[in-house]
């Protein structure tokens, strides 16, 4: 992932997604990673500020919902569930928020 900006010519930030590797897809079933954060900031004199983001593994259907709606609405609804967990879980079901879970979000 650290090489992603150099390969693609783009930088990533919170709410962006990237493809999971074929091996990760085969082992865990997730299709993409969603960037979330930053949780930490490190100041490096020669580089300026460096931010550490968290990657949340997501399924194709979840990414499609985000593209058609809003990745931050998905995150908000996901984190408001009682059973959310950032750990890779082969048993996690696809999460598509319903209207009640996203209607109170003001962006």
């Amino acid at each position: 992932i650290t090489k992603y900006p150099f390969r693609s010519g783009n930088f990533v930030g919170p709410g962006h997604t990237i493809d999971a590797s074929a091996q990760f897809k085969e082992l865990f079933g997730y299709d993409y990673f969603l960037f979330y954060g930053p949780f930490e900031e490190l100041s490096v004199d020669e580089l300026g500020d460096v931010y550490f983001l968290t990657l949340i593994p997501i399924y194709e259907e979840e990414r499609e919902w985000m593209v058609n709606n809003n990745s931050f609405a998905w995150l908000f609804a996901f984190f408001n569930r009682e059973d959310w967990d950032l750990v890779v879980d082969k048993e996690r079901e696809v999460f598509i928020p319903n209207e009640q879970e996203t209607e109170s979000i003001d962006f």
Side-chain angles (χ1 to χ4, degrees):
I1 294 188
T2 58
K3 296 177 183 174
Y4 185 80
F6 303 106
R7 276 194 217 143
S8 68
N10 291 311
F11 283 92
V12 294
H16 292 163
T17 58
I18 59 169
D19 292 354
S21 69
Q23 183 179 15
F24 191 87
K25 288 178 188 182
E26 185 179 320
L27 287 172
F28 298 104
Y30 293 102
D31 301 291
Y32 295 91
F33 291 101
L34 171 66
F35 286 89
Y36 178 73
F39 285 121
E40 291 187 42
E41 176 183 343
L42 174 67
S43 188
V44 181
D45 290 336
E46 61 273 5
L47 297 175
D49 293 335
V50 177
Y51 297 95
F52 294 91
L53 301 172
T54 297
L55 293 173
I56 301 172
I58 60 172
Y59 295 107
E60 173 71 32
E61 298 89 342
E62 293 168 334
R63 183 175 183 274
E64 286 178 21
W65 187 93
M66 290 178 211
V67 167
N68 293 319
N69 295 275
N70 185 309
S71 59
F72 294 105
W74 185 89
L75 282 164
F76 181 84
F78 185 75
F79 288 143
N80 279 313
R81 294 174 33 195
E82 290 186 22
D83 64 341
W84 73 271
D85 193 350
L86 293 179
V87 177
V88 176
D89 179 2
K90 292 171 94 171
E91 305 299 317
R92 179 170 84 75
E93 294 183 18
V94 172
F95 174 68
I96 303 297
N98 61 42
E99 257 185 64
Q100 291 87 10
E101 291 172 308
T102 59
E103 69 184 357
S104 64
I105 304 168
D106 185 25
F107 290 101

